[in-house]
Amino acid sequence: MNTPVALTTKKDWMSDQEVRWCPGCGDYGILQAVQQLMPDVGVSPENTVFISGIGCSSRFPYYMNTYGMHSIHGRAPAIATGVAVARPDLDVWVVTGDGDALSIGGNHFIHALRRNVNLTILLFNNRIYGLTKGQYSPTSEAGKVTKSTPFGSLDHPFNPLSVALGAEASFVARTHDLDRKHMMEIFRAAHDHRGASFVEIYQNCNVFNDAAFEEVTGRKVREEMMIDLKHGQPIRFGADGHKGVVMGTDGQLRIVNVADVGEDAILVHDAHREDPGLAMALARLSHSDHESTPFGIFRSIERPDYGTMVGAQLAQVFQQKGPGDLGALLRSNGTWTVAAN
Amino acid sequence: MTDTVTQRTRREAETISRVVVRFAGDSGDGMQLTGDRFTSASAIFGNDLMTFPDYPAEIRAPAGTVNGVSSFQVHISDHDITTPGDAPSVLVAMNAAALKADLNRLEPHGLLIVNSDSFEARDLEKAGYTSNPLEDGSLDGYRLVQIPMTSLTQGAAEPLGVKPRDAERSKNFFALGLISWLYSRPTDPTLEWIDKRFKDLVKESNRAAFLAGYNFAETTELFEHPYQVAPAHMPPGEYTNISGNVALAWGIVAAGQLAKLPVFLGSYPITPASDILHELSKHKHFGVRTLQAEDEIAAAGMALGAAFAGHLGVTTTSGPGVALKSETISLAVSLELPLLVVDIQRGGPSTGLPTKTEAADLNIAMFGRHGEAPLPIVAASSPADCFQAVIEAARIALKYRTPVIFLSDGYIANGAEPWKLPDLDSLPDISVPFQTEFNHQAADGTMEYWPYLRDPETLARPWAIPGTPGLMHRIGGIEKQDGTGNISYAPDNHEKMVHLRADKVRAIQADIPPVEVRGDQDADLCILGWGSTWAAIDAAVQQAGREGRPVAWVHLTHLNPLPADLGDVLRRFRTVLVPELNMGQLCRIVRAEYLIDAVSISKVQGLPFSANELLAKIREHHS
């Protein structure tokens, strides 16, 4: 870790494989953002590992000139846990989707966050199953009409951020595929955070769920619909910051006109607060794609990462007992000797 | 104090060659502990021995009922033995339910020692007796000895200030003391163990109960005289008493050392495999990382991730866990990474008989994956055998970059036997080099790394781990082009890869020993065994030989690939019997593989074969 990292360019992080997502897919923008960011994060390609599950987004590792594994549906966080715990020296990324992480792989997702394994988890949320050609996902809105729900989905969706916060995640953020600068800023912070970092990326599937986030992230509505969270700053948005978020005496967050309540009443964002209550409230501020929705870093707290703790415990036992001695181990339950006759 | 006890053993001991003792009581009575201590004292004394713990799945079934009976059988001998004995010659029954559950196992005229305090009306009712067996003459065929163990234990412990209710809990030590005198076991090892294991009043109470039992047996005239089982004539060397799961855990530690790799165990608790996780988690100073995963799937995934990162990845489980890990094992087949999957088989399907033994996972090990996904299978034959067999499994996994399924079972896992410690220098070097250089020249002359460029001899692909400069590469579950490892859906390439993966596993035949035929080479009848049936087959083959019925015997460690000469060897015999604790899974494989008319001997009762059961089959097929 202490050896200087050779300078790289974006090209050094691009594999020789042709990128094969559908033309117009939001995944291209995310790949661009990651490849453009990597030369600046201070690691070398050989010490970087991308692990994915199954789904359109999970093709991601093939396009990165790093070590990588395209694994099985939902299991990327578990496999990546093995990599990161075995080798805390590596920079391990998980690329997953809403079906991969929140449906078939829900269990591994929450436990990787709970253990605070040193992973940077990028969840491409397009609210649809793309690879299997258009079934509803665990983040699809209720009533969604898809191939598998011709009369509308009856499922209540997950809010990925509140799942992550409920799972004790130490870093939780949201960005979207149309803003490369914002993505790079968030990915950079997620990467620099030691422990499990979770980033939900609103990602457009232009084939099976086009414009799912258009009412929030569309260029024309963005200013009024996206709430940019900055640690230590009042939560304001809209033209000239005329709107803001306040916490009522009932503990509920509400969107108000700043002019109505005065600047001092506006809630100041605190991403470093140990208690996840505020982050949770912000994560649940918006319940549909017609409401103003927060983006940025909801929560970022310090907590020892799992791989480092495992290594420290090994070192501690080594300190106490000395290096393992196989001969002594085999004799540890007592022995007796049968003499030659 | 202990010296006094030993010296007071005045009555002359009668020497016998072997004895099988079964301790039976309520789950909470500490029968496993009692049996284990008797075993240890016998091991230290130098007897050969084999144990068979037999307990219910419920941690605490209703006290006093037949369902809650926990037993421990141990066979001690002055000669080489392999089984825990068919019928016990001594049954110690701590309550009415234990008598009810285990009396049918006791040999005719066997010694039956009962705790007469636990035969009150309520005890009899809970055990399902309508009349008191101690009084109704139903035990006339046995040598019945009634001892009020509970009250005698209380009497011994009360002067120390132990409350009667607490003192009662020491009654298993009274029984242990009694049997220790009866079979002339040294007392010191047990007393030292009590001092180490317990504290304060509990320690004093257990000591008092143990000595009271010993003295009671010595003083009263209930037993004519003690017995003596002389030390066995075992090959010279240093021995320890070892259970299968501990031998397996130590074998994994050793495999890591021999491979010069850190060990990474991903595991989820499951009976009867959890003890391997417990044991390995103690040995962090060997560089062993253990992670109790969120589920079986994650446990396998973590081990595979660690293998990708350059560790010896291991996951341990039982049948239901193997089913859950199946997709990950298939991924390991496709990725061609080393992965050790340990299956401690138990009765199935589903939850089945979690604490009882069965060997019915050979089919899932062979065939339990989607697609054509062959992998090597190695099976242990006895508790001590687990040590070297699991090293062999790790060797194959590492050398051929493949998942290997290692089969043990509940009987091997929990059973114990003396183990002559191996010469550490004789253990194999199983280390394999990581790839650190480019291995292919591109058309334009530049050097590059091809992750699927195979070793022509082993067909193994190179293993380049993250952190290696220049060798960055991507692998995945999608079919890949041989050589480059790039995604390929080409029809011919897929067929080539399917065959290559199969050829790689088959090529291991050249790297495993030929079949060893035991017993009588010229016999007409051959027994083909694998796994824990080893013990019963060994005893049955020896007995058949003494009866003038020559039998040959082949016992397999490698179940996939099978040894190259197995077909030729089996064809030499007129009759091939395949005893298995399943419905004939190996038998079906050898019939299909070699077109021989092998005969299955099947048992699926959650219990191992007895030697007599196999002997009866040998007699039946011997003409």
Side-chain angles (χ1 to χ4, degrees):
Chain A
M1 292 293 278
N2 294 326
T3 50
V5 173
L7 286 180
T8 56
T9 63
K10 182 180 174 189
K11 204 163 169 291
D12 293 316
W13 295 83
M14 295 162 62
S15 78
D16 60 357
Q17 299 295 297
E18 184 193 349
V19 183
R20 293 188 188 178
W21 286 307
C22 305
C25 176
D27 291 1
Y28 284 95
I30 304 170
L31 178 64
Q32 289 286 330
V34 172
Q35 287 174 338
Q36 190 173 332
L37 169 74
M38 291 315 285
D40 292 331
V41 300
V43 294
S44 54
E46 70 254 27
N47 287 323
T48 305
V49 182
F50 276 81
I51 308 276
S52 64
I54 294 291
C56 293
S57 61
S58 289
R59 286 292 184 108
F60 199 96
Y62 287 117
Y63 308 133
M64 296 297 297
N65 185 31
T66 63
Y67 286 87
M69 189 196 293
H70 179 217
S71 73
I72 40 180
H73 206 9
R75 316 304 169 203
I79 291 168
T81 293
V83 176
V85 173
R87 296 279 304 279
D89 59 307
L90 298 173
D91 194 34
V92 186
W93 297 65
V94 170
V95 178
T96 184
D98 39 316
D100 194 54
L102 295 171
S103 196
I104 195 167
N107 202 30
H108 312 306
F109 173 67
I110 59 175
H111 287 278
L113 295 175
R114 169 178 72 85
R115 292 192 181 98
N116 205 31
V117 182
N118 191 31
L119 303 172
T120 305
I121 303 173
L122 307 182
L123 188 153
F124 296 21
N125 183 9
N126 55 18
R127 297 192 178 157
I128 199 76
Y129 281 82
L131 192 71
T132 49
K133 304 195 176 92
Q135 301 82 9
Y136 76 107
S137 92
T139 57
S140 297
E141 59 277 18
K144 180 114 184 144
V145 173
T146 70
K147 280 184 184 154
S148 58
T149 51
F151 304 104
S153 158
L154 301 174
D155 287 31
H156 187 79
F158 264 144
N159 173 330
L161 296 186
S162 51
V163 174
L165 290 164
E168 307 291 331
S170 59
F171 182 101
V172 173
R174 179 188 280 147
T175 184
H176 69 104
D177 62 2
L178 295 174
D179 187 341
R180 190 183 302 180
K181 188 165 159 282
H182 191 259
M183 279 192 284
M184 287 172 64
E185 186 187 310
I186 296 298
F187 296 164
R188 173 75 194 234
H191 168 271
D192 291 350
H193 175 78
R194 186 87 197 168
S197 318
F198 172 67
V199 182
E200 179 193 17
I201 308 161
Y202 277 10
Q203 175 249 322
N204 191 42
C205 173
N206 57 318
V207 175
F208 294 106
N209 198 20
D210 194 24
F213 305 105
E214 191 63 23
E215 288 187 50
V216 176
T217 61
R219 288 181 204 284
K220 288 179 188 159
V221 297
R222 213 178 266 182
E223 192 171 29
E224 293 297 317
M225 295 301 283
M226 289 182 59
I227 305 171
D228 193 13
L229 297 175
K230 296 275 187 212
H231 173 73
Q233 298 198 6
I235 304 172
R236 296 178 63 168
F237 63 104
D240 301 324
H242 72 284
K243 284 185 186 166
V245 175
V246 295
M247 181 176 279
T249 50
D250 58 357
Q252 286 279 335
L253 298 192
R254 285 187 186 83
I255 291 171
V256 294
N257 288 316
V258 177
D260 296 345
V261 297
E263 286 186 14
D264 291 347
I266 301 301
L267 191 62
V268 174
H269 182 44
D270 182 2
H272 303 329
R273 194 178 289 179
E274 196 63 34
D275 182 277
L278 176 60
M280 185 66 95
L282 287 166
R284 304 188 69 83
L285 182 63
S286 148
H287 292 281
S288 78
D289 299 325
H290 320 295
E291 299 169 61
S292 299
T293 304
F295 286 76
I297 299 167
F298 290 67
R299 174 174 168 83
S300 174
I301 60 150
E302 296 294 323
R303 187 150 71 83
D305 81 273
Y306 195 77
T308 300
M309 289 195 294
V310 168
Q313 198 174 53
L314 246 67
Q316 189 194 343
V317 176
F318 190 90
Q319 195 77 36
Q320 283 165 5
K321 298 189 174 182
D325 174 347
L326 196 55
L329 175 65
L330 266 46
R331 288 169 178 81
S332 58
N333 282 352
T335 66
W336 69 95
T337 300
V338 174
N341 286 327
Chain B
M1 199 173 189
T2 58
D3 285 344
T4 329
V5 171
T6 317
Q7 282 159 19
R8 276 194 320 202
T9 310
R10 287 200 196 90
R11 279 177 280 171
E12 190 85 353
E14 178 191 340
T15 300
I16 52 176
S17 65
R18 53 179 284 263
V19 66
V20 178
V21 181
R22 189 174 179 94
F23 298 92
D26 202 61
S27 295
D29 282 346
M31 289 299 99
Q32 302 302 322
L33 194 70
T34 309
D36 198 50
R37 290 328 299 164
F38 184 69
T39 304
S40 289
S42 301
I44 291 166
F45 186 68
N47 295 126
D48 196 7
L49 55 89
M50 189 74 195
T51 69
F52 179 38
D54 191 7
Y55 47 86
E58 295 77 12
I59 301 300
R60 289 280 184 274
T65 65
V66 170
N67 284 338
V69 172
S70 169
S71 305
F72 188 101
Q73 184 165 317
V74 55
H75 185 183
I76 60 174
S77 169
D78 67 359
H79 57 275
D80 184 22
I81 49 161
T82 54
T83 79
D86 289 0
S89 32
V90 182
L91 173 65
V92 181
M94 298 303 287
N95 66 8
L99 179 69
K100 177 114 181 174
D102 282 3
L103 181 66
N104 62 343
R105 299 170 192 273
L106 185 60
E107 67 180 21
H109 310 295
L111 179 58
L112 174 59
I113 302 171
V114 299
N115 174 16
S116 53
D117 285 334
S118 289
F119 283 76
E120 301 296 327
R122 178 99 184 92
D123 303 314
L124 296 171
E125 190 193 324
K126 277 198 272 187
Y129 277 116
T130 47
S131 69
N132 189 342
L134 303 185
E135 292 161 1
D136 64 10
S138 59
L139 304 177
D140 287 352
Y142 306 97
R143 289 178 287 145
L144 174 66
V145 176
Q146 302 187 43
I147 302 171
M149 295 192 210
T150 310
S151 37
L152 286 170
T153 302
Q154 286 167 337
E158 266 171 60
L160 306 169
V162 184
K163 290 184 198 130
R165 187 134 184 90
D166 294 335
E168 192 196 332
R169 298 161 66 97
S170 296
K171 65 179 184 292
N172 57 327
F173 282 95
F174 185 96
L176 180 60
L178 196 81
I179 296 295
S180 295
W181 177 84
L182 191 58
Y183 290 98
S184 312
R185 301 292 93 179
T187 50
D188 284 354
T190 301
L191 288 167
E192 281 164 20
W193 180 85
I194 291 174
D195 288 348
K196 237 164 65 180
R197 168 79 182 252
F198 301 102
K199 280 195 306 203
D200 308 330
L201 267 189
V202 180
K203 177 177 90 179
E204 296 307 327
S205 179
N206 287 342
R207 276 188 77 104
F210 177 73
L211 293 170
Y214 195 97
N215 292 337
F216 181 84
E218 201 273 331
T219 315
T220 60
E221 300 292 323
L222 285 170
F223 305 104
E224 215 171 293
H225 53 70
Y227 297 89
Q228 172 82 45
V229 181
H233 293 290
M234 303 211 277
E238 190 179 5
Y239 285 79
T240 191
N241 181 41
I242 195 141
S243 74
N245 272 351
V246 171
L248 181 46
W250 291 359
I252 290 169
V253 172
Q257 304 264 299
L258 297 167
K260 302 179 182 72
L261 291 178
V263 171
F264 186 105
L265 173 73
S267 188
Y268 187 77
I270 185 169
T271 303
S274 304
D275 282 340
I276 306 167
L277 168 62
H278 305 161
E279 181 65 25
L280 278 173
S281 61
K282 294 179 195 164
H283 304 306
K284 299 191 190 306
H285 54 309
F286 284 89
V288 176
R289 284 171 174 77
T290 56
L291 209 165
Q292 183 177 314
E294 59 269 23
D295 59 32
E296 295 281 0
I297 298 171
M302 289 171 183
L304 184 61
F308 180 62
H311 284 217
L312 173 57
V314 185
T315 186
T316 50
T317 188
S318 187
V322 176
L324 285 163
K325 293 176 200 296
S326 170
E327 190 188 15
T328 310
I329 299 171
S330 298
L331 176 65
V333 168
S334 179
L335 296 180
E336 302 191 41
L337 279 172
L339 177 68
L340 184 54
V341 180
V342 173
D343 175 7
I344 312 297
Q345 302 163 96
R346 66 188 212 188
S350 190
T351 305
L353 308 172
T355 62
K356 309 289 179 189
T357 200
E358 201 161 280
D361 290 351
L362 179 57
N363 277 351
I364 196 175
M366 277 294 286
F367 308 116
R369 286 165 298 287
H370 56 282
E372 295 287 357
L375 53 69
I377 303 168
V378 174
S381 309
S382 77
D385 183 52
C386 287
F387 182 81
Q388 64 82 24
V390 82
I391 293 173
E392 169 67 359
R395 180 188 75 86
I396 292 173
L398 292 167
K399 182 170 174 182
Y400 296 90
R401 324 272 200 266
T402 174
V404 173
I405 292 186
F406 181 85
L407 295 175
S408 170
D409 64 31
Y411 175 59
I412 290 176
N414 293 320
E417 64 179 342
W419 176 41
K420 182 170 179 262
L421 298 184
D423 173 9
L424 295 183
D425 295 332
S426 72
L427 298 177
D429 178 356
I430 60 170
S431 62
V432 295
F434 292 128
Q435 184 76 24
T436 56
E437 308 284 335
F438 294 125
N439 60 357
H440 185 263
Q441 189 167 22
D444 65 3
T446 56
M447 292 304 289
E448 58 189 354
Y449 174 58
W450 277 19
Y452 280 77
L453 193 65
R454 296 168 190 282
D455 178 309
E457 191 196 330
T458 62
L459 298 180
R461 72 174 191 90
W463 189 10
I465 64 169
T468 313
L471 304 194
M472 291 80 73
H473 63 282
R474 279 63 57 194
I475 55 177
I478 299 185
E479 188 62 282
K480 66 278 300 167
Q481 188 181 35
D482 191 38
T484 66
N486 293 333
I487 291 177
S488 168
Y489 298 123
D492 289 350
N493 177 72
H494 177 55
E495 182 144 49
K496 181 182 182 190
M497 291 298 279
V498 167
H499 282 276
L500 271 170
R501 289 187 285 259
D503 290 347
K504 183 175 80 166
V505 172
R506 198 174 304 112
I508 298 169
Q509 277 191 334
D511 195 22
I512 61 176
V515 167
E516 182 191 349
V517 182
R518 301 159 200 267
D520 191 326
Q521 312 278 325
D522 301 322
D524 290 334
L525 176 79
C526 179
I527 298 212
L528 175 65
W530 68 277
S532 68
T533 54
W534 187 79
I537 297 173
D538 184 50
V541 167
Q542 286 188 38
Q543 183 57 31
R546 285 192 286 270
E547 290 178 4
R549 291 185 171 86
V551 178
W553 169 29
V554 170
H555 208 82
L556 299 175
T557 295
H558 298 91
L559 293 165
N560 198 39
L562 292 165
D565 59 341
L566 182 63
D568 290 340
V569 169
L570 293 180
R571 285 188 198 97
R572 298 201 323 241
F573 301 97
R574 200 186 60 211
T575 306
V576 175
L577 300 181
V578 191
E580 293 178 85
L581 297 177
N582 60 43
M583 297 263 286
Q585 298 184 1
L586 176 67
C587 188
R588 181 173 298 186
I589 290 170
V590 297
R591 287 174 66 95
E593 196 79 12
Y594 307 121
L595 296 175
I596 59 167
D597 192 16
V599 177
S600 168
I601 302 174
S602 164
K603 180 175 182 179
V604 278
Q605 300 174 0
L607 294 167
F609 281 110
S610 72
N612 279 333
E613 284 168 334
L614 293 183
L615 191 57
K617 291 288 180 186
I618 290 171
R619 288 176 186 146
E620 194 182 303
H621 285 88
H622 219 284
S623 50

